[in-house]
Amino acid sequence: MTDNSTPENLDIQKKVNFIHSQITDDLKVGKNDNRVHTRFPPEPNGYLHIGHAKSICLNFGIAEKFNGKCNLRFDDTNPSKEETEYVESIMEDVHWLGFDWADRLYYASDYFEKLHEFAVLLIKDGKAYVDDQDAETISSQKGTPTRPGIESPFRNRSVEENLDLFRRMTNGEFDEGACVLRAKIDMNSPNMHMRDPIIYRIMKAHHHRTGDKWCVYPMYDFAHGQCDFWEGITHSICTLEFEVHRPLYNWFVDQLQETDYRPRQIEFARLNLTYTVMSKRKLLELVKDKHVSGWDDPRMPTISGLRRRGYTPESIRNFSDRIGVTKVDGMIDVSLLEYSVREHLNKTAQRVMGVLNPLKVIITNYPENGYEELDAINNPEDEEMGMRNVPFSKELFIERDDFMENPPKKFYRLSPGTEVRLRYAYFITCNEVVKDENGNVTELLCTYDPASKGGNSPDGRKVKSTLHWVSAKHAVKSEVRMYDRLFRDENPDGHKDIDFKEFMNPDSLNVITDCYIEPFVKNAKPLDHFQFERLGYFNLDLDSTKEKPVFNLTVQLRDSWAREQNKN
RNA sequence: UGUCCUGUAGUGUAAUUGGCAACACGUCUGACUCUGAAUCAGAAGAGUCCAGGUUCGACCCCUGGCAGGACAACCA
């Protein structure tokens, strides 16, 4: 690794967003003793995706920028959906992105005791009551956004009765659904969330941390603000859909009445990316129904998928910074993400030659058992990465796409009679095309110009094109997994009445098994990045073995030739 | 017949107490090139959702519309 791998050297200017401005304003008036403390609060019910990366970069980025702190807190108030596997993957992903919560790892479940005491306090204050009605009844009494709700017949139970009932709920004396604890606020509020929200429900489920200790669990709204408060969070940043929860968030925190310190909820727009889906529910569906190989399938927008695909933490962080933070619900073009990886990998990736779709080339005037090693540059963007040797011999492979028997006007690669350069090697000329009985080209007979060794002719002769190649005998036969977008539609879940899976791209994975890569890659470790010259960026997959290396296409190089072809 | 939020080139973001609408990606030229990449130079593309108002001057302030989104899980 060189210095080029650090994000600082990518020259990205950190953008100032509206949240930074609000924090600056808070600091100007000395709010909360001038502390800045954020938190990243995932629910461990799935793997993190690129949208979470935006939130992680935002929250940890703010802590960095304002000399504050950022906690990692698992929002684990619903044991039926949460698992330790997810907890572990989330911690791995946050660290991989390059952020550290130090000793500030928390769980909402750390506060179950305190939350329960707080609920009891609300009951004693006459601000909470046990409702024996079923879910459907409570829901119907809530009214609609345009019609007020009606009060529960149990709303005015005595404090003593509520205390007793809640104690018995807690002791497991009632079945799930038998009753709930509700905050007594205002059934006529224009804000649905203020209409006596449920704050505790009975769940006889095993919790991944507290086991079977509890059979009542707090709802999100009853946990989040209080956890923020107890952790000393100053700016509680969440996505837009929680906007309408804010009055409730504030209401609970106000009931705490401990000091005048108040955490402040600020909402921003979640990330939407073209040609993918970004909801955990849908990603889980893709995994469970085996549309992908797992959460870390390289086609997934998960952080683990992107990592396996060959994305770097730097590229994701730069992407996050580039897209900015606002309250406008939008859709970011994946090309911006792709640009971010190319930008980073261009500066850092080892170059190597690899032939995906081989066509044999025989250098007829090269000695029968001839062999030599040619000098190649490891990364033209970084001199410090040095040079390597590439073996050359009589039988080579070139890319099938680089030869055309009857080339169109602007095709300036190899065709009968033309001369091209083999990168770092020689000029070669195609003299004869060998075909099988079906007329398919099977090999090319070419001659080389020994004087052009290294890639330049002493007579100053120019050549229109440079091809990548590989020595047939020395190349490493590999499997390469070519990826395309997972969905054909820009916005797969933006269609009413059509399931997002209808838009899946049947060709999103194309496994090629007869690829030949120069022997340099023999020493590669899983996840190592390469640029296969003229093709794209690839990394070694976890499935690789010594006998059979497997590479993933991270992203193709920009290709103006292909683009021009597509126009016609 | 509600409450809250949001409307700036194709996309995303800017415009620091109101002062010639800027940047990035994408697109298109051209230069350079041992990667049809990268790099470099340049171009096209919005008059800021609409209509009024205040002002010498409005993306910004005011009024009224319009459009889109969120909210009716014992999910988060």
Side-chain angles (χ1 to χ4, degrees), chain A residues 1-14 314-315 317-318 322 339-340 343-348 381-382 384:
Chain A
M1 279 293 162
T2 68
D3 284 350
N4 280 342
S5 63
T6 61
E8 288 72 26
N9 284 338
L10 290 175
D11 255 353
I12 302 301
Q13 296 153 17
K14 296 276 177 203
E314 292 86 343
S315 64
R317 290 165 66 155
N318 285 320
R322 247 187 279 261
Y339 171 82
S340 297
E343 176 189 48
H344 185 227
L345 260 14
N346 176 46
K347 293 194 169 117
T348 57
E381 303 285 324
D382 181 3
E384 286 179 17

Side-chain angles (χ1 to χ4, degrees), chain A residues 192-223:
Chain A
M192 296 290 290
H193 297 276
M194 301 298 275
R195 321 238 263 230
D196 289 10
I198 291 167
I199 59 180
Y200 263 96
R201 77 290 213 186
I202 297 169
M203 283 184 103
K204 301 199 169 163
H206 187 83
H207 187 279
H208 70 107
R209 291 188 74 241
T210 61
D212 299 315
K213 180 177 178 192
W214 295 91
C215 51
V216 290
Y217 290 92
M219 300 288 289
Y220 163 85
D221 283 310
F222 190 66

Side-chain angles (χ1 to χ4, degrees), chain A residues 287-553:
Chain A
V287 172
K288 285 217 162 127
D289 298 348
K290 309 260 193 238
H291 291 104
V292 295
S293 64
W295 285 99
D296 69 342
D297 186 298
R299 294 166 292 178
M300 291 282 271
T302 51
I303 293 176
S304 50
L306 291 166
R307 174 170 59 233
R308 186 165 179 181
R309 175 79 174 257
Y311 277 74
T312 59
E314 292 86 343
S315 64
I316 293 173
R317 290 165 66 155
N318 285 320
F319 169 74
S320 290
D321 211 64
R322 247 187 279 261
I323 60 178
V325 178
T326 62
K327 300 186 78 149
V328 186
D329 240 321
M331 172 86 65
I332 307 268
D333 201 310
V334 254
S335 65
L336 193 58
L337 217 209
E338 293 174 345
Y339 171 82
S340 297
V341 230
R342 285 198 195 98
E343 176 189 48
H344 185 227
L345 260 14
N346 176 46
K347 293 194 169 117
T348 57
Q350 167 76 43
R351 266 58 165 179
V352 110
M353 291 192 283
V355 174
L356 266 29
N357 187 9
L359 172 60
K360 183 163 278 187
V361 166
I362 295 173
I363 310 295
T364 53
N365 60 339
Y366 196 78
E368 202 55 43
N369 293 309
Y371 171 79
E372 59 191 309
E373 293 183 346
L374 301 163
D375 295 329
I377 296 167
N378 284 334
N379 184 351
E381 303 285 324
D382 181 3
E383 215 174 301
E384 286 179 17
M385 287 179 72
M387 309 280 289
R388 70 183 185 285
N389 294 322
V390 184
F392 186 89
S393 65
K394 190 181 180 76
E395 291 195 8
L396 311 171
F397 288 123
I398 65 164
E399 207 67 62
R400 200 163 270 274
D401 288 352
D402 284 339
F403 173 79
M404 278 189 110
E405 197 171 11
N406 302 298
K409 44 262 139 227
K410 279 169 129 181
F411 183 88
Y412 46 83
R413 276 112 99 142
L414 194 62
S415 51
T418 64
E419 184 175 50
V420 298
R421 169 169 38 233
L422 295 181
R423 180 150 229 226
Y424 300 126
Y426 296 98
F427 285 8
I428 62 165
T429 304
C430 175
N431 305 303
E432 200 180 327
V433 181
V434 181
K435 298 180 185 176
D436 64 15
E437 59 277 11
N438 299 319
N440 300 315
V441 177
T442 54
E443 61 183 45
L444 266 22
L445 303 183
C446 301
T447 50
Y448 82 122
D449 174 6
S452 63
K453 178 166 179 174
N456 285 301
S457 172
D459 64 9
R461 200 160 84 244
K462 296 283 185 206
V463 105
K464 273 203 229 155
S465 176
T466 301
L467 308 186
H468 60 277
W469 55 275
V470 108
S471 168
K473 200 192 300 177
H474 308 278
V476 181
K477 191 172 174 182
S478 305
E479 173 178 317
V480 175
R481 298 174 183 169
M482 302 294 282
Y483 300 106
D484 197 356
R485 29 190 65 137
L486 235 199
F487 294 90
R488 289 229 115 108
D489 191 85
E490 238 186 36
N491 186 11
D493 51 13
H495 302 263
K496 278 181 187 130
D497 309 322
I498 309 180
D499 186 78
F500 73 103
K501 293 193 296 308
E502 297 291 314
F503 298 100
M504 288 197 75
N505 177 5
D507 305 315
S508 60
L509 170 62
N510 179 19
V511 179
I512 323 177
T513 49
D514 293 311
C515 305
Y516 293 88
I517 320 295
E518 66 168 89
F520 185 87
V521 298
K522 275 179 183 161
N523 300 320
K525 298 184 296 297
L527 261 34
D528 276 357
H529 305 279
F530 296 95
Q531 184 196 94
F532 290 3
E533 295 214 35
R534 303 211 304 135
L535 296 175
Y537 296 99
F538 293 81
N539 76 343
L540 196 69
D541 190 77
L542 278 2
D543 289 344
S544 280
T545 60
K546 266 227 167 78
E547 298 69 43
K548 194 188 78 174
V550 177
F551 290 92
N552 295 309
L553 168 68

Side-chain angles (χ1 to χ4, degrees), chain A residues 103-125:
Chain A
D103 58 350
R104 297 178 309 278
L105 170 62
Y106 300 101
Y107 295 81
S109 51
D110 292 339
Y111 306 97
F112 280 173
E113 205 72 55
K114 282 182 94 166
L115 287 165
H116 190 268
E117 286 168 16
F118 180 45
V120 169
L121 209 68
L122 287 185
I123 294 173
K124 287 179 178 166
D125 273 359

Side-chain angles (χ1 to χ4, degrees), chain A residues 24-36:
Chain A
T24 303
D25 290 347
D26 288 343
L27 256 21
K28 272 184 199 152
V29 299
K31 214 176 159 192
N32 296 330
D33 302 324
N34 284 317
R35 288 184 309 109
V36 174

Side-chain angles (χ1 to χ4, degrees), chain A residues 15 73 76 131 152 204 229 231 302 311 397 402:
Chain A
K15 285 187 186 172
R73 182 171 74 231
D76 55 351
D131 195 331
S152 164
K204 301 199 169 163
F229 184 94
E231 283 174 26
T302 51
Y311 277 74
F397 288 123
D402 284 339

Side-chain angles (χ1 to χ4, degrees), chain A residues 148-213:
Chain A
I150 57 172
E151 297 184 352
S152 164
F154 299 99
R155 195 171 199 259
N156 294 311
R157 289 220 247 228
S158 70
V159 168
E160 291 67 34
E161 191 181 2
N162 280 319
L163 247 19
D164 179 59
L165 255 15
F166 188 51
R167 183 184 52 76
R168 291 166 62 194
M169 276 172 69
T170 306
N171 288 344
E173 291 180 28
F174 304 124
D175 291 335
E176 284 189 14
C179 50
V180 291
L181 185 68
R182 292 228 253 167
K184 192 192 283 189
I185 306 180
D186 179 8
M187 291 306 290
N188 291 311
S189 171
N191 183 331
M192 296 290 290
H193 297 276
M194 301 298 275
R195 321 238 263 230
D196 289 10
I198 291 167
I199 59 180
Y200 263 96
R201 77 290 213 186
I202 297 169
M203 283 184 103
K204 301 199 169 163
H206 187 83
H207 187 279
H208 70 107
R209 291 188 74 241
T210 61
D212 299 315
K213 180 177 178 192

